[in-house]
Structure formats: structure tokens, C-alpha cells
Amino acid sequence: MITTIIYAHPWEGSFNHAILSNLITRLKNEQKEYQLIDLNKDQFNPVFSGNDLALFSKGDTTDPLVIQYQKMLGETSELYIIAPTWWYEFPAILKGFFDKVMLKNIAYDDSGLSLKGLFTNIKKTTILNTGTAPKWYLTFVKGNYVKSVFIKGTLKDIGIKNVKWKYIDVKTASKNKREQFLANI
């Protein structure tokens, strides 16, 4: 099984890119096989077309990247998601990734009373997340989108459990704190 990284940041000068580079270096040093889904570099279109939406209830798509990403996730045992927090949630490209890629009979089965997640091959997931607000503010004031909606909702419904969320406030983090964050990936 393979480690898969989903990366959702458009700027190579970002701290998110430093996180990605650090993680790839670590995986190479550990001689772990990995694959990268770089949504911006792949020019992934997060918007449903009318044709794709018409196929949604059948669990089908017209987007070849969606099929490629589904295959990659089917081979994944460990998943990393690297993304910033923009307006208290993930960027639209990452939301669109989950909307378009997590289709019926690929990511979940809805034939029972509740959804049954099908990505149970993914045994460990780590969300590496940046933002410009303190984590306590996101957690207690803004409702904790990552934990309450993304982890307990979306990921759980597609069969992904054992999720860790690591967050850094890049606005106030010192150089030492940033280096420590990178070292602890």
C-alpha cells in the first residue's frame, strides 16, 4: 500500500509548500512509496459540470482526473491532506475534490439505512493545516469546521478513521515554532 498526499495550495512560497517539501523529504528518507495529488498543479476543476451532476447518482463521472484520483485513493493506506484554512474552512478546490471524487460505490455505499464508507483501506490520516487565526478561535468561536464537519462528517462517511489534525497559526508562529511544526510532521 502507498502513502498519498493531497495538496491544496496554489503558491510555492507558502508555508503549506514548505510542509509538502518537508513531508516528501521525510517519505523519501524513509524509503516509503508515495504519490502526490497536487490539485492546483493538476489544474483540477472543482466545479461539477451538468454532465457530471447527471451521472452523480450512478457514481460515475466524465472527468478523467476523478477516475485517476479514485484509483490512487484505492491504493492508499496512509493519507496526508495539506491545506490552508481560508474563511474558517478549506479552499474550494479541496471541497470540490471531495464533492467530485467521493462518489457512490467508490467512496461509500448508500444501499442501507446509513452510509457505509468504502475507503477503509486508508488506515491513518493526518491533516496538516495552516491558518491566520489561533486554533482556539477556530475551535471554540467558529465551530471547528475541520473536526466537526470534515473529520466527523465527510471522512467518517467515506470510511476514513484514525485522523489527526495538526494546525499552525502562521500569522503569529515564530520561526522556531514553524521549524518545530515541520520537524514534527
Side-chain angles (χ1 to χ4, degrees), residues 3 7 20 22 30 36 45 48 53 75-76 91-92 107 110 113 121 124 128 133 140 145 158 162 169-170 183:
T3 297
Y7 179 63
L20 175 66
N22 184 278
E30 293 174 1
L36 174 61
N45 180 358
F48 264 119
L53 204 47
E75 301 168 344
T76 299
D110 68 350
L113 294 175
N121 53 292
K124 180 180 174 186
L128 302 168
F140 298 112
Y145 163 82
I158 60 173
N162 192 21
D169 171 3
V170 294

Side-chain angles (χ1 to χ4, degrees), residues 86-173:
W86 291 344
W87 287 106
Y88 313 112
E89 57 186 295
F90 292 133
I93 199 165
L94 187 58
K95 172 69 167 92
F97 172 86
F98 279 88
D99 287 347
K100 288 179 69 173
V101 174
M102 304 307 162
L103 297 176
K104 181 165 60 169
N105 302 323
I106 298 291
Y108 67 91
D109 174 2
D110 68 350
S111 62
L113 294 175
S114 63
L115 296 182
K116 178 183 174 192
L118 300 178
F119 278 124
T120 56
N121 53 292
I122 300 173
K123 302 298 182 196
K124 180 180 174 186
T125 299
T126 304
I127 300 167
L128 302 168
N129 181 218
T130 64
T132 57
K135 188 174 183 178
W136 66 264
Y137 183 77
L138 296 176
T139 301
F140 298 112
V141 177
K142 291 300 177 181
N144 201 349
Y145 163 82
V146 173
K147 203 164 210 167
S148 65
V149 175
F150 190 67
I151 294 172
K152 290 182 178 180
T154 305
L155 295 182
K156 182 180 176 195
D157 283 352
I158 60 173
I160 296 177
K161 299 173 184 166
N162 192 21
V163 180
K164 289 182 186 175
W165 174 35
K166 296 182 179 188
Y167 176 84
I168 185 169
D169 171 3
V170 294
K171 184 177 179 184
T172 61

Side-chain angles (χ1 to χ4, degrees), residues 18-36:
I19 293 169
L20 175 66
S21 297
N22 184 278
L23 177 58
I24 288 173
T25 298
R26 194 198 92 205
L27 293 172
K28 285 179 179 178
N29 288 343
E30 293 174 1
Q31 298 181 342
K32 278 190 164 182
E33 188 177 356
Y34 75 92
Q35 52 194 358
L36 174 61

Side-chain angles (χ1 to χ4, degrees), residues 67-83:
I67 296 166
Q68 177 185 331
Y69 294 157
Q70 290 170 337
K71 182 179 183 298
M72 292 169 79
L73 291 170
E75 301 168 344
T76 299
S77 60
E78 183 174 15
L79 179 66
Y80 286 90
I81 300 169
I82 303 171

